[in-house]
Amino acid sequence: MPKKARGGTDTAGLLAYLFGPGRRDEHTDPHVVAGWDGVVMGAGQAGGLSVADLALLMDAPVRARAGRPLKEHVWHVPVRNPPEDRLLSDAEWARVAREMVDAAGIAPAGDLEGCRWVAVRHADDHIHIVATLVRQDLRLPRIKGDILRMHQVARRLEAEWGLRPLVSGDGTAKKWPKTGELEKGQRRGLGESARAVLHRTVRAAAAAASSEEDFFARLAAAGVRVRQRVAPDGAVTGYSVALVGDRDQERRAVYFSGARLAADLSLPRVRERWQGRGPGTAQGWAEAEQLVRAASRRLGAGAWRRGPGRSRPSGI
């Protein structure tokens, strides 16, 4: 179950605690199971990035962003299994972490400019996901409702892996497949409901698309049926999708609107992904990248002498 923890402004201090022995030597074999870049695998281990260097890399976009400083730029969510569940492997925890940061809006799948994040495992039954809240294109992520969407991921993985179901009154159950949908998906050999397949396909298309036309073209290329809702003035006001071959008892195609798949997949919300995207041009992206690299170099000049922060975050 994911649970939002206190964030703050001390990335180095939080990482030092997570990689350290714990308050009562309860941390065993702290290591990274997943992160925004392959270079972070092995961080904190012999021959890998030091914890101080990892914090510098994660903080670089925060330091590179001009304008009003953030009150808190550290995002921290532990994800824990109850003791009666089986132990998950590092690979399974890595999948949990990737799907959680995707759902939360920290690092959407297919978005190479998302926030920098790592998932640290220092016990058998849980991981800690830590991110810094400035994207690599220097924009701020959209994370409102993050924990509710992470609970949705938890429910899906619990069902897939036969784990204890999460109990939560978040009011989002209506967006999840009903028993009949699951049974129909199993009869078709999908292993999951049509709604789940469409949710994943639409989210991937939305993350990768650069325009509305590109979004609908990607959906069509993925092999799903697309139906646009057009107003009298010709403006497209919404859309719905269906899997080829998924039909009701009347042999009609079963369509789901974007909003029925997830609140952030409605057409107005999807449009936000490519409207007002900051730099917007190849030159702009290059300039943003140079700002991040320059900040990394500036931070590195003194950080190797200082070493990782020593303060311990409270409430963990």
Side-chain angles (χ1 to χ4, degrees):
M1 176 185 293
K3 184 177 182 180
K4 199 75 166 281
R6 184 175 300 175
T9 59
D10 188 4
T11 309
L14 175 56
L15 291 176
Y17 172 77
L18 296 179
F19 280 96
R23 294 191 176 93
R24 294 175 296 277
D25 295 323
E26 70 271 23
H27 296 174
T28 59
D29 186 26
H31 58 283
V32 174
V33 295
W36 86 93
D37 191 291
V39 72
V40 303
M41 301 302 293
Q45 308 293 310
L49 282 173
S50 70
V51 176
D53 293 350
L54 176 60
L56 290 174
L57 288 174
M58 293 184 67
D59 277 341
V62 179
R63 302 298 179 91
R65 180 176 179 268
R68 185 177 178 181
L70 298 176
K71 183 178 179 181
E72 291 189 348
H73 69 259
V74 179
W75 183 89
H76 176 206
V77 174
V79 186
R80 185 181 302 273
N81 263 7
E84 59 268 29
D85 274 344
R86 67 173 177 83
L87 297 182
L88 301 184
S89 66
D90 277 0
E92 288 172 319
W93 276 121
R95 179 181 167 191
V96 170
R98 287 191 295 268
E99 297 200 20
M100 290 287 181
V101 296
D102 172 25
I106 292 294
D111 184 353
L112 300 180
E113 302 296 337
C115 297
R116 296 185 172 188
W117 64 276
V118 292
V120 179
R121 184 180 190 180
H122 57 202
D124 287 337
D125 64 348
H126 71 277
I127 57 173
H128 292 259
I129 308 176
V130 180
T132 47
L133 292 176
V134 175
R135 290 166 45 88
Q136 294 179 81
D137 56 15
L138 306 186
R139 294 186 297 126
L140 300 182
R142 297 179 181 274
I143 60 170
K144 185 177 180 180
D146 52 354
I147 201 67
L148 298 184
R149 295 192 299 274
M150 294 169 78
H151 281 174
Q152 294 176 354
V153 172
R155 286 195 182 97
R156 175 166 49 79
L157 292 178
E158 287 157 359
E160 179 181 341
W161 291 340
L163 305 176
R164 177 185 174 187
L166 170 72
V167 177
S168 173
D170 61 21
T172 60
K174 65 180 181 295
K175 296 184 185 301
W176 284 87
K178 298 178 175 60
T179 301
E181 294 179 32
L182 292 171
E183 291 176 348
K184 184 165 69 170
Q186 291 169 354
R187 288 196 301 270
R188 295 186 60 201
L190 296 176
E192 56 186 338
S193 69
R195 186 196 298 254
V197 175
L198 291 168
H199 176 271
R200 185 173 60 252
T201 304
V202 172
R203 186 170 295 282
S210 58
S211 67
E212 187 166 323
E213 294 75 13
D214 186 24
F215 172 59
F216 287 122
R218 288 176 182 272
L219 289 178
V224 301
R225 299 177 183 270
V226 180
R227 188 166 60 187
Q228 297 182 3
R229 185 169 66 249
V230 182
D233 63 359
V236 178
T237 60
Y239 73 97
S240 56
V241 290
L243 277 186
V244 174
D246 185 31
R247 298 183 178 277
D248 61 17
Q249 293 180 346
E250 304 297 324
R251 303 302 299 165
R252 296 172 300 190
V254 179
Y255 280 88
F256 294 87
S257 68
R260 284 184 64 197
L261 296 176
D264 63 339
L265 292 180
S266 66
L267 187 58
R269 291 294 304 277
V270 171
R271 281 171 171 157
E272 292 175 1
R273 293 172 177 259
W274 54 75
Q275 292 176 348
R277 275 195 166 186
T281 64
Q283 181 180 356
W285 292 116
E287 291 174 355
E289 181 181 1
Q290 290 306 313
L291 283 172
V292 171
R293 291 183 180 277
S296 295
R297 290 193 294 270
R298 290 196 303 272
L299 289 167
W304 273 274
R305 293 193 297 271
R306 291 194 303 272
R310 295 182 177 277
S311 60
R312 284 182 176 176
S314 60
I316 300 179

